[in-house]
Amino acid sequence: VAKAVTEGKGLPAFVRMPAWRLSTQTELTKGLRRAFCFGTDNWIFDEHSLFISFWEKLTTIMVLMVAMITPVQVAFFRESETLSFVGLLNLCSEVIFAIDIVIQFFVPFAEPSGRITYKPELIAKNYLRGWFCIDVISVFPFHLLEGFSHFRAFKVLRVLRLVKLLGVVRAGRLFQHMEANGQVNHFMLEFTMLLLGGIFILHWMACCFVLVRSLECGVGEDEDPDCDNWARRYFHANASDLLDTEIYVAAAYWAAATISTLGYGDVVPVTTAECIFVTFGILIGVTSYSYAMGSVCSMVAKMDQRNGEFYAFMDNLNNFVREKGIVQDLSSRLREFFRYKKIGRGR
């Protein structure tokens, strides 16, 4: 077709297209195809394209927002209206995650040998054996089943909504893609992931502590006024007389004290279920705190090692300048050059 259009055989003059214009349009099409969407002829996305980069950032943001909002909804038995901000956010996240499942069938992957695979059948097989089940479970609409159940089953189904938190594993996968597709500061990446992990663990433990009280005593109009729990002991009042914010802040305070191994003892479990949860919470807190401290010490040691290597190199440079009798101006420029090079690597 391109040859016929260029040569103009059997076509009117106004249809004929100069070869340079056809070539330009072809290169433009290839550039757009390579930049925004597909890198090969079998409809497989280019893993370094702008579209994939944008999509990874979008899904990461949605994963983090869902990981913060869903535990609060489950813990306080709050169901957002469809037209509210939270309701629209949940709807958008489910649509985006469903689209992401389809997109993953067209994203190449790296084999153990390091070679990138673009064959559709191998990509599908790798995804089905890997992240597919987790992705499907994390987008399953459990809230649609809650309208067809009694109150006890309703409680169980709301707890099952926490399965959506499995989608957080997407964030780790997306961080790996970002690290591979761009230049990142590994120290800042490790520190950011460690900080986000600590915030989410604290948030989830606080919400689960509230959830235990909600499951045992109910919430709102269904709350049992004679049910004793940690919130009633701490505030010396029924939870129905308190704001959700007050209950969450107290639970977050308990979670922070537990994770940091301080344990002030002013927020204490009362019922058997609360004691069981707090026991597991202490184990999770100790493990998280130990891992965080070990990671921070490791990062500081790596920084000290790099700084030690740099200062040893600068000492050798000073000895070289002294032995060779290099003038002050040139020696200063040499030191500035290597310091600038070190700062550039740090960035």
Side-chain angles (χ1 to χ4, degrees):
V1 174
K3 185 177 181 181
V5 172
T6 305
E7 296 178 356
K9 293 182 179 180
L11 296 175
F14 66 87
V15 181
R16 299 175 186 175
M17 183 181 296
W20 65 269
R21 183 177 299 178
L22 181 63
S23 175
T24 303
Q25 292 188 357
T26 302
E27 293 299 326
L28 178 61
T29 303
K30 289 181 178 180
L32 293 175
R33 182 185 180 90
R34 183 170 52 253
F36 291 99
C37 202
F38 304 103
T40 60
D41 294 332
N42 53 5
W43 301 101
I44 301 300
F45 285 98
D46 183 3
E47 70 275 15
H48 302 295
S49 65
L50 296 178
F51 173 78
I52 293 297
S53 177
F54 165 78
W55 186 257
E56 289 176 348
K57 292 179 175 62
L58 176 63
T59 50
T60 301
I61 294 174
M62 297 305 297
V63 163
L64 298 180
M65 294 182 70
V66 169
M68 293 295 292
I69 294 175
T70 299
V72 176
Q73 288 182 310
V74 174
F76 290 96
F77 281 30
R78 296 290 185 263
E79 188 59 48
S80 59
E81 297 179 359
T82 305
L83 297 180
S84 65
F85 173 76
V86 178
L88 292 175
L89 179 63
N90 287 330
L91 180 61
C92 291
S93 65
E94 291 176 358
V95 172
I96 289 175
F97 294 154
I99 295 174
D100 183 66
I101 292 176
V102 178
I103 290 178
Q104 292 303 317
F105 283 98
F106 302 93
V107 177
F109 71 97
E111 296 181 350
S113 60
R115 187 172 63 89
I116 304 299
T117 299
Y118 291 91
K119 294 182 179 180
E121 60 275 10
L122 296 180
I123 294 175
K125 186 182 298 185
N126 178 75
Y127 182 53
L128 290 173
R129 290 185 301 185
W131 298 95
F132 177 75
C133 293
I134 295 177
D135 291 346
V136 171
I137 294 174
S138 63
V139 301
F140 186 83
F142 289 101
H143 62 278
L144 298 179
L145 303 178
E146 296 173 4
F148 305 97
S149 58
H150 300 291
F151 186 68
R152 287 184 177 274
F154 169 75
K155 290 183 177 181
V156 175
L157 288 174
R158 291 198 69 87
V159 175
L160 287 177
R161 292 180 65 176
L162 293 176
V163 177
K164 294 181 65 175
L165 297 181
L166 289 174
V168 175
V169 299
R170 295 168 180 259
R173 182 179 63 190
L174 296 171
F175 278 128
Q176 291 178 357
H177 289 174
M178 292 179 184
E179 181 182 5
N181 296 333
Q183 294 183 357
V184 296
N185 188 321
H186 292 278
F187 173 80
M188 291 303 301
L189 180 63
E190 292 179 8
F191 181 77
T192 302
M193 294 181 66
L194 186 64
L195 181 63
L196 288 176
I199 292 174
F200 280 118
I201 290 176
L202 186 149
H203 176 65
W204 293 342
M205 286 183 62
C207 291
C208 289
F209 200 30
V210 176
L211 177 62
V212 173
R213 181 202 64 83
S214 301
L215 291 174
E216 286 195 309
C217 302
V219 292
E221 298 178 355
D222 300 320
E223 183 178 358
D224 183 4
D226 298 327
C227 180
D228 198 9
N229 56 77
W230 67 266
R232 186 172 184 177
R233 291 284 185 91
Y234 180 73
F235 290 102
H236 303 288
N238 291 329
S240 58
D241 301 329
L242 302 172
L243 298 175
D244 293 345
T245 306
E246 295 176 315
I247 299 176
Y248 174 78
V249 169
Y253 162 73
W254 166 84
T258 303
I259 292 175
S260 60
T261 67
L262 295 177
Y264 291 114
D266 46 354
V267 181
V268 295
V270 176
T271 64
T272 303
E274 291 175 355
C275 290
I276 294 175
F277 171 76
V278 168
T279 301
F280 284 100
I282 292 173
L283 296 177
I284 294 173
V286 171
T287 304
S288 303
Y289 182 78
S290 301
Y291 176 79
M293 291 298 100
S295 299
V296 171
C297 292
S298 177
M299 288 188 290
V300 173
K302 290 179 182 178
M303 290 185 60
D304 291 340
Q305 181 180 1
R306 287 194 294 266
N307 290 333
E309 293 176 354
F310 173 74
Y311 292 137
F313 175 81
M314 295 300 292
D315 290 338
N316 293 331
L317 177 63
N318 292 331
N319 294 332
F320 176 79
V321 168
R322 191 181 307 107
E323 292 176 1
K324 300 300 180 181
I326 298 177
V327 295
Q328 180 67 29
D329 180 61
L330 180 58
S331 62
S332 299
R333 290 168 61 186
L334 285 172
R335 296 187 187 95
E336 291 177 0
F337 169 77
F338 286 111
R339 285 197 182 93
Y340 179 79
K341 188 175 180 180
K342 175 181 180 294
I343 296 173
R345 286 182 178 178
R347 292 176 183 173

